[in-house]
Amino acid sequence: MADEVERVARELTPSQRAAVLWCNADGTPRQHEKGAPSRTSFYMLKDVCKGDPTKKVCRFYRLITEGKGGKVKDRLWPESTWALTPLGLAVRTYLKDQTNGQG
């Protein structure tokens, strides 16, 4: 799994990297509020499989899950929370270790 985590970490876009690092390190949900990273894809391409000769199936890694809460007073949209998946947690740990190793 270490190779997989390293590959995913290398291929993150800058906005995905910011989102993964913004999420809580323990995997608990964090409210997406003002000052949080802007919306980004929570998915990364894992691989492409050929089912039959005319179709391809793409499989994805999911890094973050999004939860919806109740409507917040004086806001037009419901509360949104982001939490890391187990792979997202491993990628976050890897990114933090790389950052600490360089400093």
Side-chain angles (χ1 to χ4, degrees), residues 6-8 12 16 18 23 27 29-30 47 73-74 77 84 86 88:
E6 187 177 339
R7 182 179 83 83
V8 170
L12 290 174
Q16 286 174 321
C23 287
R30 183 172 181 187
D47 57 24
K73 185 178 179 182
D74 299 328
W77 54 88
L84 292 170

Side-chain angles (χ1 to χ4, degrees), residues 20 62-64 84-93:
V20 166
R62 184 174 185 147
L63 301 170
I64 297 172
L84 292 170
T85 64
L87 176 63
L89 284 168
V91 170
R92 186 184 194 285
T93 300

